[in-house]
């Protein structure tokens, strides 16, 4: 008798994710094939649900009342390692590293990660040992006694990673760990990611997947790449397939969505999402000029167009 296969790292069936009761992603259906899932495009709502961190906390300089916040699963199912995200059961096996969360002032790196381990239920002595081990694993062993207030962005990102890692979770959920980084700064965080994710599952996000960039390199090490736009999953597959000439753009128009969609389809351009925010997948012989031409002919004012893949 063979053991049953473990549940997929990420599995959704017709999941609807809302932000403050407004639908952000609808009818999400996906079953991850491997252990390292990278999401890109408009994936903020998914990570608000996975990390349980409200979107408003990521913009502390804005008026909280004006910012969208709480993510909820209001239809279908969303599971991490077989555990329900709607009830937050997945937090039993997942370590969470949201994008640039506020950090407490007056603490050293070791104090902060020790506190994280104490919250996970470890004794004071075990928490101190686990904190030192986690900091060493992400390349911060020389930062143990430094105050968090003095950290620049790369060590702050690694510190949040150590916080997620300290209880040795089976899965790490890492939101945009390389956002805004390049050169040595990106290399520092990439090394921390490689050490932290070795031997465990990971769900990560990236802002863009341009070839030759740190985030593009991160995507090439994934087993599954998921591309979100217009409130839907618009593309999924292995990175080697997605980087083989695929070009996906996010598009926003101001009106006439029906005629615009018809014009795009007539040019052999696939459309997902809508009505006013959508993703378009260019055919091999199409270019962004075809999108502009379709918008002009349909009298659909083009507000925004940005590359997602390719």
């Amino acid at each position: 008798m063979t053991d049953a296969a473990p549940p997929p790292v990420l599995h959704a069936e017709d999941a609807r994710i809302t932000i403050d009761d407004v639908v952000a992603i609808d009818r999400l259906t996906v079953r991850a094939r491997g252990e390292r899932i990278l999401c890109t495009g408009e994936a903020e709502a998914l990570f608000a649900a996975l990390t349980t961190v409200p979107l408003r906390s990521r913009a502390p300089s804005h008026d909280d009342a004006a910012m969208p916040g709480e993510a909820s699963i209001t239809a279908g199912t969303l599971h991490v390692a077989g555990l329900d995200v709607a009830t937050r059961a997945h937090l039993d096996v997942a370590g969470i590293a949201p994008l640039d969360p506020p950090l407490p002032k007056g603490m050293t790196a070791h104090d902060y990660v020790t506190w994280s381990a104490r919250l996970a239920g470890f004794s004071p002595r075990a928490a101190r040992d686990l904190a030192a081990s986690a900091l060493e694993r992400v390349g911060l062993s020389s930062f143990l006694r430094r105050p968090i207030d003095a950290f620049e962005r790369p060590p702050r990102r690694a510190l949040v990673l150590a916080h997620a890692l300290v209880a040795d979770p089976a899965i790490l959920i890492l939101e945009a760990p390389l956002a805004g980084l390049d050169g040595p700064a990106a290399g520092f965080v990439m090394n921390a990611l490689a050490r932290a994710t070795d031997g465990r599952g990971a769900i990560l996000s990236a802002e863009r997947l341009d070839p030759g960039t740190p985030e593009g390199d991160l995507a090439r090490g994934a087993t599954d790449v998921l591309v979100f736009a217009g409130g839907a999953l618009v593309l999924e597959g292995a990175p080697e397939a997605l980087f083989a000439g695929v070009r996906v753009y996010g598009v926003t128009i101001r009106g006439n969505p029906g005629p615009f969609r018809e014009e795009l389809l007539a040019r052999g351009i696939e459309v997902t999402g809508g009505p006013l925010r959508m993703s378009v997948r260019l055919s091999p012989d199409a270019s962004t000029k075809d999108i502009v031409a379709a918008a002009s002919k349909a009298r659909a004012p083009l507000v925004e167009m940005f590359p997602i893949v390719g």
Side-chain angles (χ1 to χ4, degrees):
M1 183 176 179
T2 59
D3 294 334
V9 171
L10 184 69
H11 183 200
E13 292 287 345
D14 286 333
R16 178 185 300 137
I17 301 173
T18 62
I19 302 293
D20 289 345
D21 300 322
V22 176
V23 177
I25 297 176
D26 201 14
R27 301 188 67 82
L28 173 60
T29 297
V30 64
R31 186 183 183 91
R33 292 174 294 274
E35 293 279 309
R36 192 178 180 96
I37 297 91
L38 187 134
C39 307
T40 191
E42 298 171 0
E44 295 89 350
L46 173 63
F47 275 77
L50 294 176
T51 63
T52 72
V53 176
L55 289 179
R56 68 169 58 95
S57 70
R58 303 161 205 211
S61 61
H62 292 77
D63 178 10
D64 280 355
M67 294 294 294
E70 298 289 344
S72 302
I73 313 301
T74 56
T77 59
L78 177 62
H79 290 96
V80 168
L83 298 175
D84 192 4
V85 174
T87 63
R88 301 189 175 187
H90 71 297
L91 298 181
D92 289 343
V93 299
I96 305 298
L99 175 60
D100 295 336
L103 298 176
K105 295 181 179 180
M107 275 190 172
T108 66
H110 189 253
D111 290 339
Y112 175 65
V113 184
T114 298
W115 172 67
S116 303
R118 290 286 289 140
L119 290 178
F122 292 97
S123 69
R125 180 174 180 177
R128 289 192 295 270
D129 291 344
L130 289 169
S133 177
L135 288 164
E136 181 179 10
R137 187 160 188 177
V138 300
L140 292 180
S141 56
S142 63
F143 288 71
L144 263 68
R145 304 304 173 192
R146 295 191 192 182
I148 294 172
D149 305 17
F151 279 24
E152 296 182 352
R153 185 182 290 178
R156 284 177 72 90
R157 294 267 174 92
L159 179 64
V160 174
L161 185 55
H163 155 80
L165 182 67
V166 70
D168 195 26
I171 310 287
L172 286 174
I173 299 175
L174 313 174
E175 184 180 16
L178 296 178
L181 301 180
D182 56 18
F188 180 88
V189 178
M190 283 280 280
N191 287 335
L193 289 170
R195 296 190 193 103
T197 58
D198 184 32
R200 74 186 79 239
I203 306 171
L204 310 92
S205 68
E207 293 183 334
R208 293 273 298 276
L209 301 186
D210 298 330
T213 64
E215 289 188 315
D217 293 340
L218 186 66
R220 291 183 183 277
T223 57
D224 304 70
V225 175
L226 311 180
V227 181
F228 292 84
L233 176 63
V234 299
L235 198 64
E236 63 172 300
E240 56 269 21
L242 297 187
F243 282 113
V246 172
R247 293 171 297 157
V248 178
Y249 281 75
V251 174
T252 303
I253 58 174
R254 191 172 292 147
N256 289 339
F260 179 56
R261 182 181 293 266
E262 291 174 4
E263 287 293 333
L264 291 173
L265 293 174
R267 289 167 167 77
I269 299 174
E270 298 179 22
V271 187
T272 306
L276 299 181
R277 289 175 61 84
M278 64 202 75
S279 70
V280 299
R281 181 174 179 174
L282 298 181
S283 58
D285 56 349
S287 72
T288 54
K289 292 181 180 179
D290 293 285
I291 300 174
V292 175
S296 177
K297 189 169 182 180
R299 296 186 178 181
L302 190 60
V303 176
E304 182 182 40
M305 178 172 62
F306 58 92
I308 298 175
V309 177

